[in-house]
Amino acid sequence: DAMVIQNPRYQVTQFGKPVTLSCSQTLNHNVMYWYQQKSSQAPKLLFHYYDKDFNNEADTPDNFQSRRPNTSFCFLDIRSPGLGDAAMYLCATSRGLNTEAFFGQGTRLTVV
Amino acid sequence: QQQVKQSPQSLIVQKGGIPIINCAYENTAFDYFPWYQQFPGKGPALLIAIRPDVSEKKEGRFTISFNKSAKQFSLHIMDSQPGDSATYFCAASKRSGNQFYFGTGTSLTVIP
């Protein structure tokens, strides 16, 4: 059974139109991460939540926001998607920092 | 600056061969080294991980070798199969850290 579930698997959005990606977990993990992965590149951390504490990476554009309303769910909001934001977005969870992380299947975002 | 350097970028082996993927790091604060396997269009899946207190860890056909003094670690896949064809990422994290630093990935092709 999938433990980290991302929806949708594929998302097409228009240039500049806000879009929300969702992630849910059944592991009851404290930490939830959002990574951006472009073609043939390594995943790049955007931000993470440790419980309710939000931690943004210094180089994450302001265009990217996140919400974690409860332990199980985390959302990635892209306020004004640009063509350069087309990528695979990966959600991951871990029990704590510096412990094994479990990734979801990812959401492939296309910006038209 | 790439915190974890991975090589080779791509690798082709015959079925039954033993592909070896190498990673190197500089930050001695890293103390957790996972390997992830990623198939096209899927999220990374944790394969095997090691901490610096051991020099080798084996799980099934996958073995991590760890050389703390050289700050290098490698993944060996015994008796490789076509189904092992995927991209492999090494990663590292530190005890007080908040993220995994990924290598740039190795695209492995196992020829039947």
Side-chain angles (χ1 to χ4, degrees):
Chain A
D1 289 335
M3 297 177 289
V4 182
I5 303 165
Q6 291 187 242
N7 283 302
R9 291 292 314 280
Y10 302 92
Q11 175 73 57
V12 180
T13 191
Q14 289 182 323
F15 181 95
K17 184 175 180 180
V19 64
T20 295
L21 310 181
S22 75
C23 177
S24 64
Q25 56 138 335
T26 60
L27 298 163
N28 203 34
H29 281 170
N30 296 313
V31 190
M32 294 188 78
Y33 307 84
W34 279 105
Y35 283 85
Q36 180 193 63
Q37 186 179 28
K38 296 191 174 180
S39 183
S40 302
Q41 295 183 21
K44 179 181 180 298
L45 182 66
L46 294 174
F47 26 59
H48 78 277
Y49 275 94
Y50 194 115
D51 292 330
K52 294 182 180 180
D53 293 334
F54 177 71
N55 297 271
N56 198 29
E57 291 302 298
D59 57 354
T60 298
D62 293 340
N63 198 26
F64 292 86
Q65 304 286 320
S66 186
R67 296 169 283 135
R68 189 178 186 186
N70 54 53
T71 300
S72 301
F73 285 87
C74 195
F75 300 97
L76 169 62
D77 301 307
I78 308 176
R79 292 193 296 188
S80 181
L83 298 179
D85 297 328
M88 173 79 87
Y89 289 88
L90 297 164
C91 173
T93 75
S94 63
R95 190 178 305 281
L97 299 175
N98 198 34
T99 61
E100 62 181 329
F102 295 88
F103 282 82
Q105 295 277 51
T107 294
R108 169 73 65 189
L109 178 69
T110 301
V111 182
V112 298
Chain B
Q1 181 184 1
Q2 189 72 29
Q3 297 263 2
V4 180
K5 296 181 180 179
Q6 183 172 346
S7 63
Q9 187 175 1
S10 62
L11 190 54
I12 301 173
V13 299
Q14 295 275 358
K15 177 183 174 183
I18 306 175
I20 300 173
I21 304 170
N22 300 298
C23 286
Y25 64 97
E26 287 297 325
N27 192 335
T28 55
F30 288 147
D31 71 343
Y32 177 66
F33 303 91
W35 282 91
Y36 284 87
Q37 179 189 56
Q38 187 175 28
F39 292 105
K42 306 285 188 179
L46 178 66
L47 258 184
I48 186 172
I50 197 168
R51 293 197 184 265
D53 52 341
V54 296
S55 60
E56 186 175 280
K57 183 174 181 180
K58 184 176 181 178
E59 288 184 6
R61 295 185 294 109
F62 301 94
T63 299
I64 298 179
S65 297
F66 186 81
N67 186 329
K68 188 174 181 178
S69 60
K71 291 183 282 187
Q72 295 175 348
F73 58 109
S74 59
L75 176 70
H76 302 231
I77 305 176
M78 306 301 180
D79 187 27
S80 58
Q81 302 295 314
D84 296 329
S85 298
T87 298
Y88 292 80
F89 291 98
C90 62
S93 67
K94 47 190 174 182
R95 191 172 291 111
S96 61
N98 65 346
Q99 67 166 298
F100 293 91
Y101 296 90
F102 284 88
T104 48
T106 296
S107 176
L108 172 67
T109 302
V110 181
I111 301 170

